[in-house]
Amino acid sequence: MNIEEDTKWMRHALTLANNAQSQGEIPVGAVLVQEGNIIGQGWNQSITLHDPSAHAEMMAIREAGQTLKNYRLINSTLYVTLEPCPMCAGVLVHSRIQRVVYGASDFKTGAAGSIMNLLNDERLNHQIEVTKGVLGDECGAMLSDFFRTRRAEKKKLKQK
């Protein structure tokens, strides 16, 4: 665990979250790194692709599988701006990712310790090392700003 390295990759995930935001998506970005190299990256695209599974983590994992030509992503670290949901946590376990580093906690659907902890459930055949809160304030602010703007836009539409 190296805080400079974690910060560097989380900053990259934040730039990916900007891609999501520019497309009107919830601003979450993810980058998957193995031995210091990007093997997959993605951002939320559920609205754009009409696909409820097109979360940032899923997009990064799909790309990494294609990059490595393997569904096992051993010795890799996923950096994601928001704590993974149960769907994404399940895929992380199945892909055998070694470590997850996330920015903001998700107290509604977080499955890496906030409301449940699928990544470290002893009943599963793989557990994942978790580091939380890297650039958490920045990641959380980006999400809060997005939802504040979205609520204001909806309020304006109702007033018309």
Side-chain angles (χ1 to χ4, degrees), residues 104-146:
S105 294
D106 184 346
F107 297 106
K108 292 184 179 174
T109 64
S114 289
I115 66 164
M116 66 181 75
N117 195 347
L118 289 176
L119 300 183
N120 293 128
D121 192 316
E122 297 285 330
R123 296 169 293 182
L124 300 177
N125 63 348
H126 179 71
Q127 287 78 44
I128 299 173
E129 178 186 341
V130 176
T131 301
K132 63 181 180 176
V134 174
L135 299 181
D137 290 343
E138 264 183 74
C139 295
M142 178 182 263
L143 287 157
S144 294
D145 292 347
F146 173 82

Side-chain angles (χ1 to χ4, degrees), residues 15-30:
T15 65
L16 297 168
N18 279 322
N19 293 348
Q21 187 161 358
S22 70
Q23 294 175 356
E25 299 275 356
I26 297 170
V28 178

Side-chain angles (χ1 to χ4, degrees), residues 53-145:
S53 72
H55 288 191
E57 301 95 321
M58 299 290 264
M59 304 307 284
I61 288 166
R62 288 173 184 157
E63 185 174 283
Q66 292 301 308
T67 299
L68 298 180
K69 302 293 182 227
N70 196 336
Y71 70 102
R72 300 281 193 227
L73 307 174
I74 296 167
N75 298 322
S76 62
T77 299
L78 178 81
Y79 296 88
V80 61
T81 57
L82 180 65
E83 179 180 359
C85 72
M87 174 185 68
C88 292
V91 169
L92 293 166
V93 169
H94 285 296
S95 63
R96 304 298 192 269
I97 287 172
Q98 179 179 342
R99 183 169 173 246
V100 169
V101 179
Y102 71 85
S105 294
D106 184 346
F107 297 106
K108 292 184 179 174
T109 64
S114 289
I115 66 164
M116 66 181 75
N117 195 347
L118 289 176
L119 300 183
N120 293 128
D121 192 316
E122 297 285 330
R123 296 169 293 182
L124 300 177
N125 63 348
H126 179 71
Q127 287 78 44
I128 299 173
E129 178 186 341
V130 176
T131 301
K132 63 181 180 176
V134 174
L135 299 181
D137 290 343
E138 264 183 74
C139 295
M142 178 182 263
L143 287 157
S144 294
D145 292 347

